[in-house]
Amino acid sequence: SSGINAEWPLRPGEKEVQDKDDTIKDLEDEIEKLKQQLKDAKLDDDKVKDLLEDLEKDLEEKQKELDDANKMIDELNDELEEAKPEIERLLDEVKRLEDEAKDLEDTLKEEKEAAEAVKDEND
């Protein structure tokens, strides 16, 4: 401290100087404490930053997965759109074949009936 010997009575003004010295020392201690708290907070801040960065990375990955999934869905929809005419064509073909089969059945029935009639005439 300021080399004042406490055994001697303080001269006027020395007490104020001593008080100011103490106040300054207290303030310096306070500043050191604050600096330490700031350092600790900065460490916490860095932890939080790391956590946030991890979360952001996670989010980016999830977003990418989502984008990929949406892209796949779009591609499948496109394929479906492209396939629609083919599907329509196949359905038309099935319908045409069904109609043909029905026509053949009807023709067969008519021929059978005609044959029956001829048979009946000959009996």
Side-chain angles (χ1 to χ4, degrees):
S1 178
S2 51
I4 295 165
N5 196 333
E7 285 147 30
W8 296 95
L10 295 175
R11 285 192 294 260
E14 273 187 336
K15 172 122 182 58
E16 287 85 349
V17 169
Q18 179 117 39
D19 287 348
K20 279 204 177 84
D21 271 359
D22 289 347
T23 304
I24 287 169
K25 184 145 184 18
D26 287 348
L27 285 173
E28 281 172 352
D29 289 349
E30 202 58 39
I31 287 169
E32 277 312 306
K33 265 189 218 146
L34 285 172
K35 275 188 187 162
Q36 190 54 50
Q37 282 176 5
L38 201 60
K39 224 185 249 170
D40 295 346
K42 178 109 181 60
L43 285 177
D44 286 346
D45 195 38
D46 286 346
K47 270 187 211 149
V48 169
K49 267 191 199 138
D50 288 348
L51 198 64
L52 278 176
E53 276 171 21
D54 287 349
L55 284 173
E56 271 174 18
K57 268 187 209 136
D58 254 10
L59 195 63
E60 275 171 25
E61 279 170 27
K62 293 280 183 286
Q63 186 61 54
K64 192 179 174 322
E65 282 172 27
L66 188 65
D67 290 347
D68 289 349
N70 280 329
K71 204 170 135 205
M72 258 173 65
I73 290 169
D74 287 346
E75 282 169 13
L76 287 171
N77 279 331
D78 289 348
E79 279 175 35
L80 195 61
E81 278 302 311
E82 283 168 28
K84 263 187 190 161
E86 182 64 11
I87 292 168
E88 294 290 327
R89 196 184 65 68
L90 288 171
L91 288 174
D92 289 348
E93 184 72 5
V94 167
K95 193 173 177 334
R96 193 180 62 73
L97 290 170
E98 281 173 351
D99 290 347
E100 249 177 55
K102 194 173 178 317
D103 288 348
L104 283 172
E105 261 178 43
D106 291 347
T107 306
L108 201 61
K109 205 153 109 194
E110 283 167 18
E111 284 175 7
K112 253 191 195 164
E113 282 168 7
E116 291 289 322
V118 170
K119 210 173 104 184
D120 285 351
E121 277 173 26
N122 288 341
D123 278 354

